[in-house]
Amino acid sequence: AHVEPVAEILQRPNVFAFIHVPVQSGSDSVLQAMVREYTSADFRRLVDTLRATVPEMTVATDIICGFPTESEDDHAASMELVRQCKFPVLNISQFYARPGTAAARMRKLPSSVVKSRSTEMTKLFETYSTHEGLVGREERVWFCETDKRYGQTVGHTKGYTKVVVPKDDTLLGRSAFVKINSATKWHVEGTVLA
């Protein structure tokens, strides 16, 4: 219901085009058991609308593997959601019962099943690339910190992709254009343009 105003804000030049929306599951029956007030289709509409409306949009999400009511089909629905959306930031966790919640009173799935599903989700996440589309491009990067261990200055693109360049503390607190030379699963590396 509020997608358009959110998209409008994310398009502003002083706001990163990044949002973290924890879906938790791609299965409507699991979402209902979790007492969530949305469906997987609602989540997909949000993601698709933001990506279509906001250039360079990065959507991060969370998936919980092994919720007590999660069937094989429910797990497959979560896998399919990740397969289709290819989230560049995906926090995968195994179900943990928080005391005092309805889920804490539910019968847990065998830990071997939970671990297997978590491993399967992690392997799926590792199969797709996240930042290769930036290689060869020139991007404005906002620099914020120094990684002394690796001798790099760290910043982020408008879409909040992590960018590392050779250490140059004069970049801190400002932006500069960077030629992106290579990409890893977690960040891109580049050269600051004069």
Side-chain angles (χ1 to χ4, degrees):
H2 303 290
V3 178
E4 289 78 16
V6 169
E8 190 176 312
I9 291 167
L10 293 170
Q11 290 177 33
R12 293 181 181 170
N14 61 335
V15 176
F16 286 115
F18 173 88
I19 193 166
H20 180 199
V21 184
V23 68
Q24 311 297 10
S25 176
S27 163
D28 290 343
S29 63
V30 171
L31 292 172
Q32 188 174 18
M34 290 178 169
V35 195
R36 303 293 187 215
E37 296 181 4
Y38 56 88
T39 65
S40 59
D42 295 334
F43 177 80
R44 258 322 278 274
R45 253 188 315 280
L46 171 70
V47 171
D48 292 346
T49 301
L50 288 174
R51 286 179 170 174
T53 310
V54 182
E56 311 301 323
M57 185 72 220
T58 296
V59 178
T61 197
D62 303 348
I63 294 282
I64 297 173
C65 296
F67 188 79
T69 64
E70 184 184 71
S71 68
E72 282 296 330
D73 287 344
D74 296 327
H75 173 64
S78 293
M79 294 285 291
E80 187 58 25
L81 178 68
V82 171
R83 194 174 287 111
Q84 289 177 5
C85 293
K86 292 184 169 48
F87 301 103
V89 180
L90 178 63
N91 301 310
I92 303 164
S93 62
Q94 297 177 10
F95 172 75
Y96 169 78
R98 287 183 295 139
T101 63
R105 295 186 298 276
M106 296 177 182
R107 185 175 179 191
K108 293 180 186 169
L109 294 176
S111 62
S112 61
V113 170
V114 176
K115 287 178 185 173
S116 172
R117 291 178 183 173
S118 174
T119 298
E120 186 180 8
M121 185 65 72
T122 300
K123 286 181 180 176
L124 171 60
F125 176 68
E126 292 170 349
T127 64
Y128 59 86
S129 60
T130 49
H131 305 299
E132 275 70 13
L134 292 173
V135 175
R137 290 175 45 179
E138 294 179 4
E139 293 285 323
R140 179 178 294 278
V141 175
W142 288 263
F143 291 96
C144 57
E145 66 182 296
T146 299
D147 184 335
K148 292 180 182 172
R149 181 176 177 194
Y150 294 104
Q152 297 169 322
T153 300
V154 180
H156 295 88
T157 65
K158 169 76 173 149
Y160 209 68
T161 298
K162 180 179 177 181
V163 179
V164 296
V165 299
K167 185 177 179 233
D168 178 356
D169 287 344
T170 65
L171 294 169
L172 296 174
R174 66 182 189 92
S175 68
F177 280 94
V178 173
K179 170 82 174 204
I180 306 300
N181 302 320
S182 63
T184 72
K185 182 71 172 176
W186 309 108
H187 67 271
V188 295
E189 298 177 9
T191 307
V192 176
L193 300 173

